[in-house]
Amino acid sequence: MNILIYTIFVEINNKMISSSLIPTEKIIERLQYENPWWVTKQVPETYGTMSKRLYFDLFYPFVKERNVRRALVLMGPRRVGKTVMLFHSIEQLLKDKVNPQQIFFIGIDNPIYMHLGLEDILALCKNALNLKEFKDCYVFFDEIQYLNDWERHLKILVDSYPETKFIVSGSAATALKLHSTESGAGRFTDFMLPPLTFQEYIYLKNLNHLIYNGSIKYGKKSIPYCLTHDVKALNKEYVNYLNFGGYPEVVLSEKIQSDMGRYVKNDIVDKVLLRDLPSLYGINDVQELNRFFTYIAYNTGKEFSYESISKESGIQKVTLKKYLEYLESAFLIKVLNKVGVNAKSLKRVRSFKVYLTNSSLRTALFSPITETDREMGNMVETAVLSQWMHREKLDLTFASWKDGRNEGEVDLVLVDKKFKPVWGVEIKWSNRYFDKTHELKSLIQFCKTNNFEKALVTSIDRQGVKEIEMLQFTFIPASVYTYNIGDITLKMKNTTNIE
């Protein structure tokens, strides 16, 4: 940016600050309150005593990266620990001997910053510490989505302060990613923080003693796999994870678990449905959107068609598509498209499955389930799929078909870019098929059609390999399988440094 133009720009911004309804000194007092390490040289004890998410070790290297001039955009749904991760990053920076007065944190959702741009706030930060220049600084903007045109403001900062690292967080995942990609090309690095995996749940609850490194037979190979010493105890935790496990605060607080409706529904669901983004999608009737989401949540894992939903809800198809698009952008649901028995995509998508991204959302809207409830099957499917969602680049589908009078379905199918099937998994919360493997007719047909020699089937607590019609089916407890998806994903991300 031309120096003269930028100087004029800053002067105009300073006039805007001085004309604000809130006195400048009060805003500076707030900044000093939000940044206690300027004096104490440590983060507030509230954050310092919290356990780090396993994703922190992936995130922090991006914070420290200074060779590439890019801002870091931390995205994810509400209450998954984004703010805590920012404070853990600040804590680590302090441990790495970064000058405390070169670290700045600003919560953009605070009304005191209303009508201020990022440049304005940065100028106030300089005033608060009497800094002449910003150099080798780390600036954290939390809840960035509350600032209009945030991406334009952030891009200007990245260009104007090349020696300062900017880290921002926001809850409106897809919309943030859209604006980040469109307006911040070459300037922003995106990092998605998903809800807790079952692996992270076990870690945060200090239950790693339930897990050991073993192996399973899958086809002709023996592959490394995390197994359990006590499947009964792991399953007990698994049911607890299905009900309460998606949010770090809920996992660690029995008080919150006793009132999920108030905590999760009011603080997460209602704010997303009623406040965050509906207007961007042209949604006017937020109450209807709320009712529609409740309907979807109750039927998580169910196969839908626009015709069936429209008939049951009384909502027009065009509006339904808009609602689904918004709910997926808000990271509340995941739509899974259907393929046929040969895993080829269908010419006309008549039906699809909709899953909650976090099974505990259902608990917040209705009530906790037990392992004998009929809803367990769909809840386990939801939990399994939510682990796979952490691998954003995978093309996951489900297979469903009609063959004469016979119908078939395979719960989870991975296809490559050419829609060639890679594998299929049958997700069950039942031991029945371990003893009656011949009843897995759909999976058998799917494997034969696609020349598969093996497949994986989940159970309640049975483990082993069953052979039928020249096929090998590896049975794994659903809790163990869910744990391993998260574990393998984290190992892959650590190895490849993918986002």
Side-chain angles (χ1 to χ4, degrees):
M1 179 184 291
N2 181 283
I3 297 296
L4 176 60
I5 295 176
Y6 181 71
T7 303
I8 296 173
F9 183 70
V10 171
E11 288 179 355
I12 293 173
N13 282 337
N14 286 336
K15 290 179 181 179
M16 289 176 63
I17 294 172
S18 62
S19 63
S20 172
L21 294 176
I22 302 173
T24 299
E25 60 269 20
K26 292 299 180 183
I27 302 177
I28 289 178
E29 285 178 9
R30 176 65 195 181
L31 287 170
Q32 292 169 337
Y33 173 79
E34 286 189 305
N35 295 265
W37 50 86
W38 291 349
V39 176
T40 66
K41 299 183 180 180
Q42 60 185 12
V43 299
E45 186 178 358
T46 304
Y47 297 101
T49 56
M50 289 182 179
S51 297
K52 293 182 176 69
R53 283 195 57 171
L54 294 178
Y55 273 72
F56 176 78
D57 289 338
L58 289 174
F59 178 70
Y60 187 66
F62 288 108
V63 174
K64 288 284 287 183
E65 173 60 53
R66 302 292 291 270
N67 294 328
V68 180
R69 191 193 303 179
R70 285 191 173 194
L72 177 58
V73 182
L74 175 62
M75 296 179 284
R78 286 181 173 275
R79 313 306 291 186
V80 296
K82 296 186 300 300
T83 300
V84 175
M85 187 167 284
L86 295 185
F87 275 99
H88 281 157
S89 297
I90 293 170
E91 180 183 41
Q92 190 60 48
L93 288 171
L94 293 171
K95 289 180 180 178
D96 291 343
K97 307 302 181 182
V98 174
N99 185 339
Q101 295 193 351
Q102 291 178 308
I103 303 172
F104 302 85
F105 176 91
I106 303 96
I108 301 298
D109 57 336
N110 191 315
I112 200 172
Y113 302 120
M114 191 176 297
H115 306 307
L116 295 179
L118 298 185
E119 300 88 355
D120 306 328
I121 297 171
L122 211 58
L124 289 170
C125 287
K126 290 171 68 176
N127 291 342
L129 291 174
N130 295 316
L131 296 178
K132 293 182 179 180
E133 62 177 352
F134 264 83
K135 189 175 182 181
D136 298 327
C137 294
Y138 294 85
V139 181
F140 296 81
F141 292 113
D142 195 23
E143 297 291 0
I144 196 71
Q145 77 271 9
Y146 286 100
L147 175 69
N148 291 330
D149 295 328
W150 66 268
E151 63 282 1
R152 180 176 59 82
H153 289 253
L154 185 58
K155 186 177 179 181
I156 291 174
L157 290 186
V158 172
D159 290 336
S160 303
Y161 298 91
E163 295 180 326
T164 289
K165 186 60 180 277
F166 295 95
I167 303 98
V168 306
S169 79
S171 299
T174 300
L176 276 172
K177 191 171 182 66
L178 176 65
H179 290 299
S180 171
T181 302
E182 290 180 346
S183 304
R187 293 292 185 271
F188 303 161
T189 296
D190 298 333
F191 188 100
M192 176 63 73
L193 184 65
L196 282 181
T197 62
F198 185 45
Q199 179 203 23
E200 287 186 294
Y201 168 90
I202 293 296
Y203 165 76
L204 288 179
K205 296 275 284 186
N206 294 315
L207 296 171
N208 285 336
H209 62 275
L210 293 175
I211 304 295
Y212 71 93
N213 294 322
S215 64
I216 60 170
K217 186 178 180 183
Y218 186 57
K220 297 178 181 179
K221 296 182 179 180
S222 180
I223 61 175
Y225 218 71
C226 294
L227 301 174
T228 181
H229 297 285
D230 189 343
V231 69
K232 185 176 181 180
L234 189 67
N235 280 350
K236 180 181 178 181
E237 295 300 330
Y238 188 52
V239 175
N240 198 52
Y241 170 76
L242 296 180
N243 283 319
F244 310 112
Y247 306 104
E249 290 172 273
V250 180
V251 167
L252 301 174
S253 172
E254 292 185 3
K255 180 179 180 181
I256 293 175
Q257 291 176 18
S258 67
D259 194 3
M260 284 283 283
R262 184 173 67 86
Y263 174 80
V264 177
K265 185 181 184 303
N266 294 348
D267 195 37
I268 299 173
V269 178
D270 286 354
K271 285 183 179 178
V272 172
L273 295 183
L274 304 179
R275 190 178 73 181
D276 277 1
L277 286 175
S279 59
L280 293 181
Y281 287 77
I283 296 172
N284 299 315
D285 193 343
V286 291
Q287 295 299 334
E288 183 178 72
L289 173 66
N290 204 338
R291 290 193 299 271
F292 176 66
F293 175 70
T294 303
Y295 166 79
I296 290 293
Y298 183 77
N299 293 286
T300 180
K302 180 181 176 181
E303 186 172 346
F304 295 98
S305 68
Y306 287 115
E307 289 77 12
S308 64
I309 299 180
S310 181
K311 184 177 180 180
E312 291 183 25
S313 65
I315 302 172
Q316 294 183 349
K317 294 179 186 178
V318 175
T319 306
L320 286 174
K321 292 180 180 179
K322 189 184 298 182
Y323 287 173
L324 288 170
E325 180 185 357
Y326 169 67
L327 292 173
E328 196 162 20
S329 79
F331 214 79
L332 289 175
I333 66 169
K334 173 68 176 178
V335 176
L336 213 60
N337 292 319
K338 183 170 75 172
V339 296
V341 66
N342 57 3
K344 291 183 179 179
S345 62
L346 306 177
K347 292 182 179 180
R348 290 189 63 188
V349 180
R350 296 180 181 274
S351 59
F352 47 88
K353 283 188 175 183
V354 182
Y355 291 91
L356 293 172
T357 55
N358 186 335
S359 60
S360 58
L361 284 170
R362 191 184 188 282
T363 302
L365 291 170
F366 302 102
S367 60
I369 62 167
T370 67
E371 59 183 88
T372 57
D373 288 346
R374 63 182 180 86
E375 294 92 350
M376 269 297 291
N378 282 352
M379 288 285 275
V380 169
E381 272 192 54
T382 299
V384 167
L385 187 64
S386 70
Q387 317 299 301
W388 281 114
M389 289 177 199
H390 295 212
R391 299 194 206 175
E392 299 171 17
K393 298 177 183 179
L394 290 183
D395 197 350
L396 290 170
T397 63
F398 73 101
S400 181
W401 65 89
K402 287 186 177 181
D403 184 10
R405 294 183 178 180
N406 299 320
E407 297 182 359
E409 180 181 306
V410 175
D411 294 320
L412 203 56
V413 174
L414 175 67
V415 296
D416 61 20
K417 293 180 180 179
K418 296 181 180 180
F419 272 91
K420 181 180 179 181
V422 180
W423 48 250
V425 174
E426 193 65 22
I427 304 168
K428 302 289 187 184
W429 182 254
S430 170
N431 290 329
R432 174 186 180 91
Y433 302 97
F434 186 84
D435 297 317
K436 297 182 179 181
T437 311
H438 63 278
E439 293 185 3
L440 293 170
K441 295 180 180 179
S442 295
L443 187 60
I444 292 171
Q445 183 181 353
F446 178 82
C447 288
K448 287 185 173 182
T449 300
N450 295 288
N451 297 317
F452 285 180
E453 297 178 351
K454 60 186 181 297
L456 193 144
V457 184
T458 68
S459 64
I460 296 177
D461 54 24
R462 301 298 294 274
Q463 182 176 323
V465 177
K466 292 286 185 173
E467 295 189 8
I468 184 171
E469 299 185 30
M470 304 298 290
L471 301 171
Q472 286 190 342
F473 290 161
T474 300
F475 284 80
I476 294 291
S479 56
V480 173
Y481 179 62
T482 305
Y483 182 96
N484 275 274
I485 301 171
D487 178 69
I488 294 169
T489 298
L490 203 59
K491 287 175 180 175
M492 288 177 61
K493 287 176 177 283
N494 273 312
T495 301
T496 60
N497 213 19
I498 63 173
E499 298 173 35

